Amino acid sequence: MQSNADTLTLYTEHFPPYSYEQNKQVTGLNTELVRRSCELAKITCEFQLLPWLRAYEAAQKDHASGLFSTSRNSLREHLFQWIGPLAHSNAKMYWLKSRAEQAPRSLDEAKQFIVAVARGDIYELYLQSQGFEVDVNLLRFNSKSDAVLPFLHGKVDLLIASELILPVWLGQYQHSADAVEPVIDLSQVGHNYLALHLAVPPETVARLQAALDVLRSNGEFQQLSDHFLKPPH
């Protein structure tokens, strides 16, 4: 018989290829990595897809919960217990090549432009810690991908994306990655993890980490990566 410690609600956002809804079920590379980790650890995990800020707030209130794909860094380290790393790639600020202006090459130069961020996202927090201000040079969206079309239309100057995510986002609007250029590296902001509430028992955390480590060592991690990251035909 399972105790409450063996049941978790795991929140995530629409963030393909890491997490998205398909046939009324949450799936994606990191979703399936976490799902398989739960299965191996014999923990019942229920997945909920929400806008990022709602997911983040829910995971802080619900004592038997977690949140992914969550960037782990010093700004958040003390707020959660961490399982990972999950699949990730380095994030950068991107600029449309078709623009007439000179592209910024540093965060200070980027302050002269409008950067798209998701509400409550780690990049909003990080850029604010570097002197950016909401409604001055930060424009907030409900999700990261909501910024793609405004970016392509020149309503937003800089888009934050990773090398894995960018082709997926641009492909939805019949654009290729050739239309943009990376201008500022943000890899220092942190990699993707499953963030568990501080009230989750340490033994549960240890079981999930051990399960994820098994997936990495037995080849399943790579198999899932190959499946979800195969180039579109």
Side-chain angles (χ1 to χ4, degrees), residues 115-191:
V115 185
V117 289
R119 296 176 193 278
D121 184 65
I122 191 64
Y123 295 103
E124 179 187 3
L125 300 178
Y126 173 73
L127 292 174
Q128 285 178 312
S129 78
Q130 300 299 306
F132 286 75
E133 296 178 63
V134 173
D135 296 331
V136 176
N137 41 26
L138 293 181
L139 188 59
R140 297 194 290 187
F141 292 85
N142 286 333
S143 76
K144 299 176 182 73
S145 58
D146 284 352
V148 178
L149 197 56
F151 168 72
L152 291 172
H153 288 164
K155 310 285 187 192
V156 169
D157 303 317
L158 291 156
L159 180 72
I160 297 172
S162 73
E163 295 126 332
L164 292 182
I165 294 293
L166 187 68
V168 176
W169 284 355
L170 294 178
Q172 293 173 337
Y173 300 101
Q174 288 72 54
H175 282 72
S176 77
D178 292 338
V180 302
E181 61 175 317
V183 292
I184 298 169
D185 179 61
L186 294 174
S187 57
Q188 73 277 13
V189 176
H191 294 316

